[in-house]
Amino acid sequence: MVELVVTDLDGTLWLADGGLPQSTRQAIHKMERQGFSLLVATGRRSWSAAHYLQRAELDLPALVLNGALGRDNGGGDIFHRRAFDPADARRVLEVFEGQGVNPCVNFECEQWDLVSGPSPSAGQVYLNWAGPQLKVVGDLGTMAGSLPVYAFSVVAVPEIEVLRCIRDELAEFAGVGSVNLVRDKVFGGWTLDCSPRGVNKWIGVEAFCNFRGLDPANVLAVGDDDNDVELLERSARSFAMSHASDRAKA
């Protein structure tokens, strides 16, 4: 018996432009009438996920930042959070900076939810889109060592080689849970993100089940990329999109 359906957002629940097909909207309403719970699980940050959910006229609980943070309907109660150890966060930042890359860092703050040091390395199309949600500071290292950090990312970079080097180095570091390097479906180029040790979408799903009194053995999951693999592996029923990554399909 399925109690909870968990779905990724980009390339899964909605189209590349964030649009929601009418057939999908009808299916969501049918699920609600039949008493199923629906949870979205995405690599997007809080503001970005909330922006597109509101645009789609959906009020759903969401796991963001690949499962590091979970918010209930309406962006309200936080039912799950797991941040980097401060020493690990400083070490991750050193890896990026050692390759000449200035990443964006996700804290959780009402004033801003994306922070970078001077001259962020993300693609200009992404920086333009982030707009006032991006705060540029002079000393990112001090902030990363003193405030909870939920993710590091560099988005829409044209060249992949330097990101491969960062990915490989971070993959060897025990303070990192997951490192994802993917072709960006929204902004173009390549995007790399990394999460704290012990973080993945399934961990967040378990926290949501505990929060709502659901059985994690009764989860159906839908995804399309490498950051969905743990979710697809652990769910009782799982489905990968036809355009999914090889790991997700496997």
Side-chain angles (χ1 to χ4, degrees):
M1 177 180 137
V2 172
E3 293 183 81
L4 173 65
V5 175
V6 184
T7 176
D8 185 26
L9 291 181
D10 298 297
T12 304
L13 181 66
W14 51 43
L15 305 174
D17 63 356
L20 189 69
Q22 185 60 27
S23 58
T24 301
R25 189 181 301 279
Q26 292 171 349
I28 291 172
H29 292 329
K30 183 176 180 180
M31 287 173 55
E32 291 173 343
R33 291 194 300 270
Q34 294 180 342
F36 292 99
S37 295
L38 178 62
L39 171 69
V40 299
T42 177
R44 286 181 176 270
R45 64 191 199 275
S46 295
W47 181 88
S48 175
H51 171 79
Y52 279 102
L53 286 171
Q54 289 168 6
R55 175 176 150 183
E57 299 180 336
L58 295 177
D59 182 15
L60 299 172
L63 287 169
V64 298
L65 301 171
N66 291 316
L69 192 69
R71 288 187 177 277
D72 202 7
N73 294 63
D77 294 341
I78 293 178
F79 61 83
H80 171 70
R81 65 168 83 222
R82 188 171 294 184
F84 279 95
D85 175 85
D88 291 341
R90 288 193 294 267
R91 172 65 182 132
V92 170
L93 183 58
E94 289 172 358
V95 171
F96 278 94
E97 293 177 340
Q99 293 290 339
V101 172
N102 200 346
C104 291
V105 179
N106 290 102
F107 302 99
E108 188 65 17
C109 176
E110 292 183 359
Q111 291 76 31
W112 30 259
D113 69 349
L114 192 65
V115 181
S116 176
S119 302
S121 298
Q124 192 60 50
V125 62
Y126 177 72
L127 296 176
N128 292 343
W129 183 86
Q133 295 297 321
L134 172 63
K135 179 181 179 67
V136 177
V137 299
D139 187 0
L140 185 58
T142 297
M143 290 186 68
S146 60
L147 295 174
V149 174
Y150 294 97
F152 290 85
S153 64
V154 57
V155 179
V157 176
E159 301 296 330
I160 192 174
E161 289 306 321
V162 67
L163 298 186
R164 281 180 175 152
C165 293
I166 294 172
R167 177 198 61 188
D168 294 345
E169 188 169 351
L170 289 177
E172 298 297 321
F173 177 44
V176 171
S178 63
V179 186
N180 301 295
L181 175 57
V182 298
R183 187 177 291 278
D184 198 293
K185 301 182 182 73
V186 178
F187 299 104
W190 297 89
T191 288
L192 182 146
D193 60 58
C194 70
S195 304
R197 178 176 54 226
V199 166
N200 58 59
K201 290 184 180 182
W202 178 254
I203 295 298
V205 169
E206 289 185 316
F208 181 75
C209 288
N210 183 62
F211 177 70
R212 284 284 183 90
L214 302 172
D215 188 345
N218 296 331
V219 173
L220 181 153
V222 188
D224 74 329
D225 223 326
D226 289 1
N227 62 343
D228 297 311
V229 167
E230 293 89 354
L231 171 65
L232 297 174
E233 286 178 338
R234 299 290 298 276
S235 297
R237 300 182 183 182
S238 58
F239 298 87
M241 305 297 286
S242 62
H243 59 261
S245 69
D246 290 341
R247 287 188 63 209
K249 288 180 179 178

